[in-house]
Amino acid sequence: MDVTMSLTVNGEKKTITTDPSRRLLDVLREDLQLTGTKYGCGQSQCGACTVLINGRAVHSCVTPVGSVNNTEVITVEGLARGDVLHPVQAAFLAEGAIQCGYCTPGMIMRAVALLDSDPNPSDSTIKAWMNANICRCNGYTKILNAVRRAARQNLEVTVP
Amino acid sequence: MTRESLIDDVFELEQDETQALWTHEFDLTRRTFLQVLGAGLLITVTQDMTQAQSGRTMPVIARLHLNTDGTVTVLTGKVEEGQGSRAELSQAAAEELRVSVGQVRLIMADTDLVPDDGITAGSRTTPYNVPPVRQAAATARELLTNLAARQWQVNAETLEVLNGKITHTATGKTLTYGDLAALDTTSEVFKGSIRSDVTLTPLGQWKTMGTSVPRPNSRDLVTGAHHYPSDQIRPGMLYGKVLRPPSYGATLEAIDLGAAQAMKDVFVLHEGQFVGFAAPTTFLATRALEAAAQTAQWKTVPQVSSRDLFSHLKKNKQTGGRSRPRTTGDVDKALSEASQVLNETYEVAYVQHTPMEPRAATAEWTDGKLTVWTGVDSPQRVQGDLAREFGVSNDKVRLIVPDMGGGFGGKHSGEAAEEAARLSKACARPVAVHWTREEEFTWAYFRPAAVIECRAGLDDTGSLTAWDFTSINPGSSGIDPPYGIANMSILSAGTDSPLRQGAYRCLAATANNFARESFIDELSVAAKADPLAFRLAHLNNPRIRTVLEAAARHFDWGNRRKKITRELGVGLACGTEKNSVVAACVEILIDRKTGQIRVVEVCEAFECGPIVNPDNLTSQIQGCICMGLGPALREAMVFEDGRILSNSFYTYQVPRFADIPKLDIHLVENRDIPSAGGGETPIIAIAPAIGNAVFAATGIRLRSMPLQSDKLKA
């Protein structure tokens, strides 16, 4: 039975009428054509589908769209401000932390959620937090360096 | 594809690796080029030119398109899946054209536009595809320079080319590539053949090659703007699902499709064993699939289970034909005269590639022509497969491979493309088929399992005198030892593979190196020699010697050996494959309560000739090391009577951030040989080095990958 939901996606108000048990991942990709969010496993195991819901990192592949009514969803497409990349996106580019890039949106969203709640995380916090996400090209070292770089920039901004 | 044909694929691939592949057939039409490339140098392909492509000559326009804005479009059949071919081939063209990488636009793997550069596999892009792209670019530069010289009536040798601008310094006259693109004469001369004897920029004068050029479209990867094969959306597109058997070899006897057919907006296709569903959403297509699957009746046939795998492989070992050993000297005699003989068997489990993007395709039929966007390594081969499947000529199939989400040798075949095309044809709408992770785990193919039987003899001075190596199932890559041994017998034997198997990063070399480098370690112990010294004493490959010495020096092998405890081990291994060489030293910690092995540090030295892109090479080495940790420590397909039980990231644990050791990577550059590929060989030394470190700490020799044993609990 379809229901009508309203949510904010990347700053835009959206009204969606659909089966509430559909995955948020599919609604983003199929209904809103926001394909930056990836399917990796469908079981909350790899993090490729990570989006922010009210600022928290959530696996959209196990999130029924009915549960996000009246929330604010941010996907990788919603991070940059015009031509200006989000600092985490810029850090991934600067560190060359991309191989095939398929895990990259999920990695970036996960890192953004971390740095929004803890601007200066310890190295062990970064590792433990990012461990939810899988990269098969195994660019883990450069991804860690990218998150460290973004965190370092936070430090430079906050400490005069 | 049948199971048998994929076994062949393993062997074919290895045979292919020795050949340059750019026999090609392509159909360039002016209309398609205008659509795809926009205005610029108009290309018309004449009958003569198409015929001129026999042999290895190719017209320049098959590779290069000059645009009036000064940019250059380069065409290649290679695919980008994270290994860095887009940057590397762009660098190759930019170098010889004397333009910046930013002026090069690479069109990859669109069968309507690009030449057939062969499958993207076997580390072949660097040795076999970079040179022809360089030759095309250098020929183009020469032709353009000659055009300018003719126009100015000066000697071409007096002209300089920089940043896509040709300058006659004496008069200050200039012409840009963009200016020349507008001339009719340019399109005429570009019909000329690419010269294989054209002078290429010498190594010492490289400006773009040899530098760390980032992947050209990397910005689109961090913003989500890039559309992977699974991101292709066409107007009116449906999402497809395909019914899978419950186990290998099962056949469908009956199914009730009534419930699925009754669902609004659901399209159902039942053709023999194929049952597919297409619907406006994945959700609806999945519901239809599930409703039908509940009613399906299957006939199953008994299948081999993973617990019986190795005995099955041994029992079905093939002899004769391809499976005849290559021999040097007299192994049996040498073994009978040896003062010590070792005889051990090693095993390697099946593993899955698990690229982050599972198989995906979007197919669309328009006026009898099929267009498919999909993630495969072999665009032209899959194009041909589809043409045969649907009874059309190759020119009625256009296959496009957008930069895809990983492959590692696991995407040579076009299953999703075939499924999407079949559903699309039947329902007359574009259809996308995206495999689930479980489908990828179950119905893609696997890296071959292996049983490897090793015998060797040592004389009373501790020198190797005999080597008898029989590798059952994985294939022959990396099978030859790099050690000087007078009497050898080497056999790559086929067998019956219970699972569908095919290529993987470095394929058989990982299994063969695991067995050989573990066995060499055992022999060094028998010879009472240091594992490093034992190898150096027998190595007859100077390039391996260089990287082995480099890795040992950076790791401080001698001193690290002194710190071995029953929990801490160090080990090393080396090898060669695909004309590159590698050596790795590792330090591991073993939790003797749980028996868990943790790799603390990997020091790896690698050499693949002149380095085309240092940052990308480093990424590939890091990737190989970390990917190699999986099959070394944990990854193994578990299956029972045809059912794959390792079918998720819960049941099949790939390496994660927490597993990553300290990496100490040393790029050794060898400028005396042509560049070789670097995306595979760095994986082969990891597993044996870890196994050797486990032995050093515990005295327990683990001979089966993954390296797990209750014996480590003590």
Side-chain angles (χ1 to χ4, degrees):
Chain A
M1 193 59 172
D2 287 357
V3 299
T4 297
M5 282 153 287
S6 51
L7 56 159
T8 308
V9 181
N10 298 333
E12 277 181 48
K13 284 249 180 281
K14 301 280 180 189
T15 304
I16 296 163
T17 302
T18 193
D19 190 311
S21 53
R22 286 177 68 202
R23 303 183 294 195
L24 173 61
L25 170 71
D26 291 343
V27 172
L28 290 172
R29 292 175 53 84
E30 297 173 7
D31 300 25
L32 304 179
Q33 307 212 341
L34 292 169
T35 52
T37 305
K38 306 301 184 198
Y39 168 88
C41 68
Q43 297 179 320
S44 195
Q45 281 286 292
C46 77
C49 66
T50 305
V51 298
L52 304 186
I53 297 178
N54 293 340
R56 295 186 52 209
V58 170
H59 292 152
S60 63
C61 75
V62 291
T63 304
V65 68
S67 71
V68 299
N69 193 16
N70 296 320
T71 62
E72 191 185 346
V73 179
I74 310 270
T75 72
V76 72
E77 291 96 338
L79 288 181
R81 292 283 161 265
D83 281 345
V84 181
L85 295 179
H86 186 281
V88 174
Q89 291 174 311
F92 270 67
L93 278 188
E95 293 291 338
I98 306 150
Q99 290 190 40
C100 83
Y102 191 85
C103 73
T104 306
M107 291 282 182
I108 288 175
M109 298 314 290
R110 181 102 187 143
V112 168
L114 170 67
L115 298 178
D116 281 353
S117 65
D118 179 1
N120 306 306
S122 68
D123 218 52
S124 58
T125 301
I126 294 176
K127 262 194 188 173
W129 176 256
M130 295 306 293
N131 204 47
N133 287 42
I134 295 175
C135 165
R136 283 299 285 153
C137 302
N138 287 289
Y140 290 125
T141 304
K142 289 187 178 182
I143 294 169
L144 279 179
N145 288 342
V147 182
R148 287 171 183 141
R149 173 187 279 259
R152 215 164 45 235
Q153 281 167 345
N154 281 339
L155 204 62
E156 283 158 13
V157 172
T158 51
V159 181
Chain B
M1 203 177 291
T2 66
R3 197 184 293 178
E4 288 69 28
S5 74
L6 270 162
I7 294 170
D8 274 355
D9 201 40
V10 174
F11 292 100
E12 271 170 23
L13 179 74
E14 296 182 317
Q15 289 175 342
D16 286 352
E17 282 166 8
T18 56
Q19 298 165 10
L21 295 173
W22 51 93
T23 52
H24 45 272
E25 57 178 305
F26 57 94
D27 172 30
L28 302 171
T29 67
R30 183 180 172 127
R31 195 176 64 87
T32 331
F33 260 90
L34 278 172
Q35 280 172 350
V36 177
L37 305 176
L41 173 64
L42 298 185
I43 293 170
T44 43
V45 178
T46 66
Q47 191 66 27
D48 286 355
M49 265 179 37
T50 318
Q51 283 163 358
Q53 290 163 35
S54 58
R56 289 220 187 129
T57 60
M58 185 190 282
V60 175
I61 60 154
R63 275 276 178 230
L64 284 176
H65 178 94
L66 213 53
N67 307 305
T68 46
D69 63 0
T71 60
V72 183
T73 301
V74 177
L75 306 163
T76 176
K78 288 281 139 172
V79 308
E80 170 64 81
E81 51 199 298
Q83 85 281 31
S85 57
R86 185 174 285 283
E88 185 182 37
L89 292 168
S90 299
Q91 287 175 268
E95 182 69 56
E96 301 300 340
L97 282 159
R98 311 279 185 262
V99 296
S100 68
V101 173
Q103 286 170 270
V104 175
R105 181 181 163 217
L106 199 66
I107 292 186
M108 305 181 78
D110 177 338
T111 59
D112 261 12
L113 302 175
V114 303
D116 185 353
D117 286 317
I119 189 168
T120 300
S123 290
R124 281 190 292 230
T125 301
T126 301
Y128 296 123
N129 300 95
V130 167
V133 166
R134 292 180 69 192
Q135 286 160 8
T139 305
R141 188 190 76 233
E142 212 172 79
L143 292 169
L144 294 168
T145 312
N146 289 342
L147 270 184
R150 219 181 311 157
Q151 193 159 332
W152 296 328
Q153 301 198 331
V154 298
N155 188 333
E157 281 166 19
T158 64
L159 304 184
E160 277 178 12
V161 188
L162 197 65
N163 296 325
K165 190 160 81 176
I166 304 170
T167 306
H168 185 239
T169 26
T171 58
K173 283 180 184 165
T174 61
L175 271 174
T176 64
Y177 287 173
D179 298 334
L180 290 163
L183 302 181
D184 286 345
T185 39
T186 308
S187 45
E188 203 51 45
V189 299
F190 266 34
K191 289 178 196 166
S193 291
I194 295 165
R195 282 178 44 213
S196 57
D197 62 344
V198 68
T199 306
L200 300 180
T201 309
L203 186 52
Q205 291 169 31
W206 283 3
K207 289 195 172 64
T208 304
M209 291 179 70
T211 65
S212 291
V213 169
R215 180 166 164 181
N217 56 351
S218 48
R219 189 185 166 98
D220 288 347
L221 304 180
V222 301
T223 60
H226 171 65
H227 290 148
Y228 289 82
S230 53
D231 299 335
Q232 304 294 323
I233 297 175
R234 303 295 298 165
M237 185 177 94
L238 303 179
Y239 293 85
K241 285 283 162 195
V242 177
L243 179 72
R244 308 290 174 195
S247 59
Y248 268 58
T251 45
L252 184 63
E253 301 234 290
I255 188 164
D256 178 359
L257 297 170
Q261 279 160 339
M263 290 181 183
K264 189 171 171 289
D265 298 330
V266 170
F267 174 84
V268 181
L269 177 64
H270 184 187
E271 290 178 341
Q273 290 290 308
F274 181 92
V275 183
F277 308 85
T281 63
T282 297
F283 177 78
L284 196 51
T286 306
R287 283 244 297 242
L289 167 68
E290 286 169 354
Q294 285 175 8
T295 73
Q297 291 170 38
W298 300 90
K299 185 183 170 202
T300 57
V301 285
Q303 299 282 322
V304 176
S305 300
S306 46
R307 62 177 169 273
D308 303 320
L309 171 64
F310 299 119
S311 58
H312 178 84
L313 294 177
K314 274 174 83 159
K315 196 172 70 195
N316 291 283
K317 179 171 94 172
Q318 291 161 6
T319 50
R322 261 178 177 165
S323 295
R324 244 191 294 274
R326 277 184 294 116
T327 57
T328 318
D330 187 336
V331 168
D332 289 335
K333 181 164 176 282
L335 284 170
S336 67
E337 290 168 1
S339 59
Q340 287 190 79
V341 173
L342 269 68
N343 189 345
E344 300 296 350
T345 300
Y346 297 84
E347 300 162 345
V348 179
Y350 286 110
V351 297
Q352 231 284 354
H353 314 76
T354 63
M356 284 313 293
E357 182 182 37
R359 280 164 165 68
T362 292
E364 176 176 78
W365 290 85
T366 313
D367 302 330
K369 179 162 178 169
L370 169 65
T371 303
V372 185
W373 293 259
T374 189
V376 295
D377 295 308
S378 45
Q380 275 87 357
R381 195 166 85 188
V382 173
Q383 175 196 26
D385 288 346
L386 292 171
R388 273 190 301 283
E389 172 84 23
F390 295 101
V392 297
S393 54
N394 276 15
D395 64 336
K396 293 293 184 196
V397 178
R398 179 180 184 183
L399 195 118
I400 301 167
V401 183
D403 293 12
M404 62 180 180
F408 320 112
K411 288 182 179 168
H412 290 187
S413 48
E415 298 87 346
E418 193 270 340
E419 292 161 0
R422 194 194 274 237
L423 281 167
S424 171
K425 189 171 187 201
C427 71
R429 298 267 290 272
V431 173
V433 170
H434 301 158
W435 280 26
T436 63
R437 179 58 58 192
E438 183 181 353
E439 287 177 297
E440 186 71 27
F441 263 114
T442 309
W443 300 105
Y445 53 84
F446 304 92
R447 184 175 79 180
V451 172
I452 301 173
E453 297 164 338
C454 305
R455 278 197 307 164
L458 292 163
D459 67 15
D460 53 11
T461 69
S463 282
L464 271 167
T465 55
W467 183 261
D468 182 7
F469 193 89
T470 300
S471 182
I472 305 169
N473 196 50
S476 63
S477 62
I479 200 168
D480 290 318
Y483 303 108
I485 307 163
N487 305 286
M488 294 202 288
S489 174
I490 290 165
L491 172 60
S492 168
T495 180
D496 175 64
S497 168
L499 299 187
R500 195 178 173 223
Q501 59 182 16
Y504 185 100
R505 207 170 197 170
C506 231
L507 197 55
T510 300
N512 288 330
N513 272 270
F514 167 65
R516 189 192 65 242
E517 288 300 300
S518 301
F519 194 48
I520 283 285
D521 221 68
E522 301 204 48
L523 288 158
S524 74
V525 174
K528 297 187 171 54
D530 176 279
L532 173 64
F534 186 78
R535 283 174 174 81
L536 290 173
H538 288 89
L539 267 176
N540 61 6
N541 179 323
R543 290 173 64 201
I544 299 182
R545 177 180 298 276
T546 303
V547 289
L548 180 57
E549 286 174 339
R553 185 172 65 249
H554 289 293
F555 187 72
D556 195 12
W557 173 256
N559 285 319
R560 297 286 280 270
R561 281 265 290 172
K562 293 176 194 153
K563 293 175 185 158
I564 290 170
T565 68
R566 58 190 294 278
E567 281 96 23
L568 184 154
V570 297
L572 56 76
C574 59
T576 178
E577 179 56 20
K578 304 184 199 309
N579 201 28
S580 60
V581 292
V582 65
C585 299
V586 304
E587 181 182 299
I588 59 142
L589 281 175
I590 303 165
D591 183 330
R592 300 304 296 262
K593 285 200 193 84
T594 63
Q596 290 255 313
I597 302 165
R598 190 161 72 80
V599 179
V600 179
E601 181 181 343
V602 176
C603 174
E604 185 161 299
F606 181 69
E607 184 256 289
C608 58
I611 299 166
V612 179
N613 188 321
D615 271 4
N616 187 58
L617 181 59
T618 302
S619 290
Q620 287 299 302
I621 297 171
Q622 289 175 344
C624 277
I625 293 171
C626 298
M627 180 171 251
L629 293 176
L633 298 177
R634 287 200 295 262
E635 290 176 37
M637 296 309 299
V638 179
F639 49 99
E640 193 167 313
D641 199 17
R643 285 179 305 124
I644 301 291
L645 305 180
S646 311
N647 61 2
S648 72
F649 286 130
Y650 290 106
T651 49
Y652 186 94
Q653 302 257 325
V654 299
R656 288 180 180 264
F657 281 95
D659 298 304
I660 300 315
K662 179 188 165 199
L663 298 179
D664 184 19
I665 291 167
H666 299 274
L667 307 182
V668 177
E669 190 158 29
N670 176 353
R671 294 168 78 87
D672 298 330
I673 58 166
S675 300
E680 300 190 67
T681 305
I683 201 172
I684 65 175
I686 296 307
I690 295 170
N692 295 340
V694 170
F695 177 82
T698 64
I700 296 163
R701 180 62 66 177
L702 301 183
R703 299 189 182 91
S704 191
M705 277 175 69
L707 301 165
Q708 296 173 340
S709 173
D710 284 343
K711 285 190 255 171
L712 297 179
K713 295 183 205 169

